[in-house]
Coordinates of all heavy atoms in Angstrom, one line a residue:
A1426 N 5.7 14.0 28.3 CA 4.6 13.2 28.0 C 4.7 12.4 26.8 O 4.1 11.3 26.8 CB 3.4 14.2 27.9
V1427 N 5.4 12.9 25.8 CA 5.6 12.2 24.6 C 6.6 11.0 24.7 O 6.5 9.9 24.2 CB 6.0 13.1 23.4 CG1 6.4 12.3 22.1 CG2 4.8 14.1 23.0
G1428 N 7.7 11.4 25.6 CA 8.9 10.5 25.7 C 10.0 10.8 24.7 O 10.6 9.9 24.1
C1429 N 10.2 12.2 24.5 CA 11.3 12.5 23.7 C 12.1 13.7 24.3 O 11.7 14.1 25.4 CB 10.7 13.0 22.3 SG 9.7 14.5 22.5
R1430 N 13.1 14.2 23.7 CA 13.9 15.2 24.1 C 13.1 16.5 23.7 O 12.5 16.6 22.7 CB 15.3 15.3 23.4 CG 16.2 14.1 23.8 CD 17.4 14.0 23.0 NE 18.0 15.3 22.6 CZ 19.3 15.4 22.3 NH1 20.1 14.4 22.5 NH2 19.8 16.7 22.2
P1431 N 13.3 17.6 24.7 CA 12.6 18.9 24.4 C 13.1 19.5 23.0 O 12.2 20.1 22.3 CB 13.0 19.6 25.5 CG 13.2 18.8 26.7 CD 13.9 17.5 26.0
D1432 N 14.3 19.3 22.7 CA 14.8 19.9 21.4 C 14.4 19.1 20.2 O 14.7 19.4 19.1 CB 16.3 20.1 21.4 CG 17.1 18.8 21.7 OD1 16.5 17.8 21.9 OD2 18.2 18.9 21.6
E1433 N 13.7 18.0 20.4 CA 13.1 17.2 19.3 C 11.7 17.5 19.0 O 11.1 17.2 17.9 CB 13.2 15.7 19.5 CG 14.5 15.2 19.7 CD 14.6 13.6 20.1 OE1 13.7 13.2 20.9 OE2 15.5 13.0 19.6
L1434 N 11.2 18.5 19.8 CA 9.7 18.7 19.7 C 9.5 20.2 19.2 O 10.0 21.1 19.9 CB 8.9 18.5 21.0 CG 7.5 18.6 21.0 CD1 7.0 17.7 22.2 CD2 6.9 20.0 21.5
A1435 N 8.7 20.5 18.3 CA 8.3 21.8 17.8 C 6.8 21.8 17.9 O 5.9 20.9 17.6 CB 8.7 22.1 16.4
F1436 N 6.3 23.0 18.3 CA 4.9 23.3 18.3 C 4.5 23.9 16.9 O 5.2 24.8 16.4 CB 4.5 24.3 19.5 CG 4.7 23.7 20.9 CD1 5.8 24.0 21.6 CD2 3.8 22.7 21.3 CE1 5.9 23.5 22.9 CE2 4.0 22.2 22.5 CZ 5.0 22.6 23.3
T1437 N 3.3 23.4 16.5 CA 2.7 24.0 15.2 C 1.4 24.5 15.4 O 0.9 24.6 16.6 CB 2.7 22.9 14.2 OG1 1.6 21.8 14.7 CG2 4.0 21.9 14.0
S1438 N 0.9 25.1 14.4 CA -0.4 25.6 14.4 C -1.7 24.7 14.4 O -2.8 25.2 14.7 CB -0.6 26.7 13.3 OG -0.5 26.0 12.0
S1439 N -1.4 23.4 14.2 CA -2.4 22.5 14.2 C -1.8 21.1 14.0 O -0.7 21.0 13.6 CB -3.5 22.7 13.1 OG -2.9 22.4 11.8
G1440 N -2.7 20.0 14.3 CA -2.1 18.7 14.0 C -2.0 18.5 12.6 O -1.1 17.7 12.2
T1441 N -2.9 19.0 11.8 CA -2.8 18.8 10.4 C -1.5 19.4 9.8 O -0.9 18.8 9.0 CB -4.0 19.5 9.6 OG1 -5.2 18.8 10.0 CG2 -3.9 19.5 8.2
R1442 N -1.1 20.6 10.3 CA 0.1 21.2 9.9 C 1.4 20.4 10.3 O 2.3 20.3 9.6 CB 0.1 22.7 10.5 CG 1.5 23.3 10.2 CD 2.0 23.4 8.8 NE 1.0 24.0 7.9 CZ 1.0 23.9 6.6 NH1 2.0 23.2 6.0 NH2 0.2 24.5 5.9
A1443 N 1.2 19.9 11.5 CA 2.3 19.0 12.0 C 2.5 17.8 11.0 O 3.6 17.4 10.7 CB 2.0 18.5 13.4
V1444 N 1.4 17.1 10.6 CA 1.5 16.1 9.7 C 2.0 16.5 8.4 O 3.0 15.8 7.7 CB 0.1 15.4 9.5 CG1 0.0 14.5 8.3 CG2 -0.4 14.7 10.7
H1445 N 1.5 17.5 7.8 CA 2.0 18.0 6.4 C 3.4 18.3 6.5 O 4.2 18.0 5.6 CB 1.1 19.3 6.0 CG -0.3 18.9 5.7 ND1 -1.2 20.0 5.4 CD2 -0.9 17.7 5.6 CE1 -2.3 19.4 5.1 NE2 -2.2 18.0 5.2
S1446 N 3.9 19.2 7.5 CA 5.2 19.4 7.7 C 6.2 18.3 7.9 O 7.3 18.2 7.3 CB 5.5 20.5 8.8 OG 4.7 21.7 8.5
G1447 N 5.7 17.4 8.8 CA 6.5 16.2 8.9 C 6.7 15.2 7.7 O 7.8 14.9 7.5
I1448 N 5.7 15.1 7.0 CA 5.8 14.2 5.7 C 6.7 14.9 4.8 O 7.5 14.3 4.3 CB 4.5 13.9 5.2 CG1 3.6 12.9 6.2 CG2 4.5 13.3 3.9 CD1 2.3 12.7 5.8
A1449 N 6.3 16.2 4.5 CA 7.1 16.9 3.6 C 8.6 17.0 3.9 O 9.5 16.9 3.1 CB 6.6 18.3 3.3
G1450 N 9.0 17.3 5.2 CA 10.2 17.5 5.6 C 11.1 16.1 5.5 O 12.2 16.1 5.1
A1451 N 10.5 15.1 6.0 CA 11.1 13.8 6.0 C 11.3 13.2 4.6 O 12.4 12.7 4.2 CB 10.2 12.7 6.8
L1452 N 10.3 13.4 3.6 CA 10.5 13.1 2.3 C 11.7 13.8 1.6 O 12.5 13.3 0.8 CB 9.3 13.3 1.5 CG 8.2 12.2 1.8 CD1 6.9 12.7 1.0 CD2 8.5 10.8 1.3
A1453 N 11.8 15.2 1.9 CA 12.8 16.0 1.2 C 14.0 15.7 1.9 O 15.1 15.7 1.2 CB 12.5 17.5 1.6
G1454 N 14.2 15.3 3.2 CA 15.4 14.9 3.7 C 16.0 13.7 3.2 O 17.1 13.5 3.3
R1455 N 15.2 12.7 2.7 CA 15.6 11.5 2.2 C 15.5 11.4 0.6 O 15.3 10.3 0.1 CB 14.9 10.4 2.9 CG 15.4 10.2 4.3 CD 14.7 9.3 5.1 NE 14.5 8.0 4.5 CZ 15.3 6.9 4.4 NH1 16.5 7.1 5.1 NH2 14.9 5.8 3.9
R1456 N 15.4 12.5 0.0 CA 15.2 12.4 -1.5 C 16.2 11.6 -2.2 O 15.9 11.1 -3.3 CB 15.1 13.9 -2.1 CG 16.2 14.8 -2.0 CD 16.1 16.0 -2.9 NE 14.9 16.8 -2.6 CZ 14.9 17.7 -1.7 NH1 16.0 18.2 -1.1 NH2 13.8 18.5 -1.6
R1457 N 17.5 11.6 -1.6 CA 18.4 10.8 -2.4 C 18.2 9.4 -2.3 O 18.6 8.6 -3.2 CB 19.9 11.1 -1.7 CG 20.3 12.5 -2.1 CD 21.7 12.8 -1.5 NE 22.2 14.0 -1.7 CZ 23.4 14.5 -1.3 NH1 24.3 13.6 -0.7 NH2 23.8 15.7 -1.7
V1458 N 17.5 8.9 -1.3 CA 17.1 7.5 -1.2 C 16.1 7.1 -2.2 O 16.2 6.1 -2.8 CB 16.6 7.2 0.3 CG1 16.0 5.7 0.3 CG2 17.7 7.4 1.3
G1459 N 15.2 7.9 -2.4 CA 14.1 7.6 -3.3 C 12.8 8.5 -3.0 O 12.8 9.3 -2.1
G1460 N 11.8 8.3 -3.8 CA 10.5 9.0 -3.6 C 9.4 8.2 -3.3 O 8.2 8.5 -3.6
H1461 N 9.5 7.0 -2.7 CA 8.4 6.1 -2.3 C 7.9 6.3 -0.9 O 8.7 6.4 0.0 CB 9.0 4.6 -2.4 CG 7.9 3.7 -2.1 ND1 8.0 2.7 -1.3 CD2 6.6 3.6 -2.6 CE1 7.0 1.8 -1.2 NE2 6.1 2.4 -2.1
L1462 N 6.7 6.5 -0.7 CA 5.9 6.8 0.5 C 5.0 5.6 0.8 O 4.3 5.2 -0.2 CB 5.2 8.1 0.5 CG 4.4 8.5 1.6 CD1 5.1 8.6 2.9 CD2 3.5 9.7 1.2
I1463 N 5.0 5.1 2.0 CA 4.0 4.1 2.4 C 3.0 4.7 3.4 O 3.4 5.4 4.5 CB 4.7 2.9 3.1 CG1 5.8 2.3 2.1 CG2 3.7 1.8 3.5 CD1 6.7 1.2 2.7

Side-chain angles (χ1 to χ4, degrees):
V1427 171
C1429 67
R1430 294 170 40 153
D1432 59 352
E1433 294 175 328
L1434 187 150
F1436 291 107
T1437 66
S1438 59
S1439 68
T1441 295
R1442 173 50 59 193
V1444 166
H1445 291 173
S1446 298
I1448 293 176
L1452 288 171
R1455 285 173 51 83
R1456 61 166 58 94
R1457 290 185 180 180
V1458 173
H1461 180 229
L1462 171 66
I1463 301 174

